[in-house]
């Protein structure tokens, strides 16, 4: 076996939430290229179906904020494939408004998608992995879980991603002796459709780029190799960790 063989996922089944576009799409692509069967779980059936067709994956509509729906979805995946080896919790959302003006429902919406949804998926798919005594979970956190971004206000997003990082640490320690690894990725500013809209605000874009040592945003495909590493046996002694991929933003 070579080092490169450790990155292979042949015969394994992976689930990627929010896999229809952006970072999620690139992660699905990377996992497929490594040999995994991939199920895309996404709220948008059009983008998910298109991504599945393009990448040779399957898809299902899933609202990660509904624990009953997550439980049923996990059961369907296991019933179809008889195993679940990799889970990538990529679905997420953001809301930019000063904290004092943030409505209750918007606070809850962000936390429900970004944190509750990650836990529901970890719990339901984790049960199958724990029974099999093997599996890898990769949570998409953010550098925003480690720092407070500016100049844009996003207290709910920052809090949710900090929660993902510590949830990852907690589950990584709790499940390590039972064969299940749980890790996270903390991307910096990445050129997704959502972020590109914000780039139209000059006072935001200027700060984002000037405070990133590499002087640019990441492309979604630059995040995907981190997910493949954490999903594969190449990271077999890694759990409870958060891999930062931020162009050096948190180094300053």
């Amino acid at each position: 076996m070579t080092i490169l063989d450790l990155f292979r996922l042949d015969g394994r089944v992976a689930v990627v939430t929010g896999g229809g576009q952006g970072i999620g799409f690139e992660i699905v692509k990377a996992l497929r290229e490594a040999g995994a069967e991939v199920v895309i779980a996404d709220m948008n059936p059009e983008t998910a179906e298109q991504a599945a067709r393009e990448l040779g994956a399957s898809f299902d509509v899933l609202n990660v904020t509904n624990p009953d729906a997550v439980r049923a979805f996990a059961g369907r995946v296991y019933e179809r494939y008889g195993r679940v080896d990799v889970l990538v919790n990529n679905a997420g959302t953001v809301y930019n408004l000063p904290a004092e003006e943030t409505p209750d429902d918007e606070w809850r919406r962000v936390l429900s998608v970004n944190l509750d949804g990650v836990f529901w998926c970890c719990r339901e798919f984790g049960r199958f992995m724990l029974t099999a005594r093997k599996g890898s979970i990769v949570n998409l956190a953010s550098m925003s879980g480690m720092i407070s971004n500016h100049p844009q206000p996003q207290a709910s997003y920052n809090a949710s991603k900090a929660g993902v990082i510590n949830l990852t640490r907690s589950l990584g320690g709790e499940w390590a002796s039972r064969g299940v690894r749980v890790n996270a990725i903390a991307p910096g500013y990445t050129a997704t459709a959502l972020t590109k809209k914000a780039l139209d605000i000059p006072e935001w874009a200027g700060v984002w780029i000037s405070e990133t040592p590499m002087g640019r945003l990441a492309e979604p495909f630059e995040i995907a190799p981190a997910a493949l590493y954490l999903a594969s046996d190449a990271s077999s002694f890694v759990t409870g960790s958060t891999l930062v991929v931020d162009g050096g933003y948190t180094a300053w």
Side-chain angles (χ1 to χ4, degrees):
M1 177 180 290
T2 69
I3 290 294
L4 291 180
D5 291 331
L6 294 175
F7 289 87
R8 296 297 306 174
L9 296 173
D10 302 281
R12 302 188 195 183
V13 175
V15 173
V16 181
T17 69
Q21 58 186 337
I23 293 173
F25 177 91
E26 294 296 336
I27 291 174
V28 173
K29 184 178 180 181
L31 299 182
R32 286 289 296 134
E33 289 179 357
E37 290 284 342
V38 182
V39 181
I40 297 171
D42 204 296
M43 277 285 288
N44 187 329
E46 293 182 1
T47 57
E49 183 176 14
Q50 181 177 343
R53 185 166 53 248
E54 180 177 343
L55 299 175
S58 61
F59 81 96
D60 203 340
V61 176
L62 176 65
N63 178 358
V64 298
T65 70
N66 183 333
D68 293 331
V70 172
R71 184 177 302 111
F73 171 69
R76 289 196 301 274
V77 173
Y78 187 80
E79 182 178 0
R80 177 178 178 182
Y81 293 98
R83 61 189 296 165
V84 181
D85 303 284
V86 175
L87 167 66
V88 180
N89 285 309
N90 170 74
T93 190
V94 67
Y95 185 72
N96 298 114
L97 199 67
E100 73 276 13
E101 299 175 16
T102 300
D104 295 351
D105 60 343
E106 287 298 338
W107 172 270
R108 278 301 328 149
R109 182 177 69 87
V110 173
L111 271 291
S112 185
V113 174
N114 293 0
L115 184 55
D116 294 350
V118 170
F119 178 70
W120 306 144
C121 289
C122 284
R123 182 181 65 184
E124 299 308 325
F125 283 99
R127 286 173 172 154
F128 293 115
M129 293 179 178
L130 290 166
T131 298
R133 299 194 66 82
K134 60 181 178 180
S136 177
I137 296 175
V138 183
N139 298 324
L140 267 291
S142 170
M143 68 176 185
S144 303
M146 302 174 169
I147 50 95
S148 177
N149 304 65
H150 75 103
Q152 76 275 20
Q154 53 181 50
S156 57
Y157 184 82
N158 297 350
S160 69
K161 294 301 185 177
V164 170
I165 289 171
N166 214 28
L167 174 62
T168 298
R169 186 180 294 118
S170 299
L171 295 180
E174 184 176 341
W175 292 348
S177 64
R178 300 166 69 187
V180 178
R181 297 185 299 106
V182 186
N183 293 289
I185 303 169
Y189 291 117
T190 305
T192 62
L194 190 63
T195 305
K196 286 177 180 177
K197 291 180 181 178
L199 287 174
D200 292 334
I201 305 174
E203 58 269 30
W204 290 14
V207 172
W208 293 2
I209 293 172
S210 66
E211 295 198 3
T212 300
M214 286 189 174
R216 65 177 178 85
L217 275 62
E219 293 297 329
F221 75 85
E222 294 181 289
I223 310 301
L228 175 58
Y229 166 67
L230 293 174
S232 72
D233 291 343
S235 60
S236 58
F237 198 56
V238 182
T239 197
S241 295
T242 297
L243 177 55
V244 181
V245 188
D246 68 352
Y249 192 99
T250 56
W252 282 350

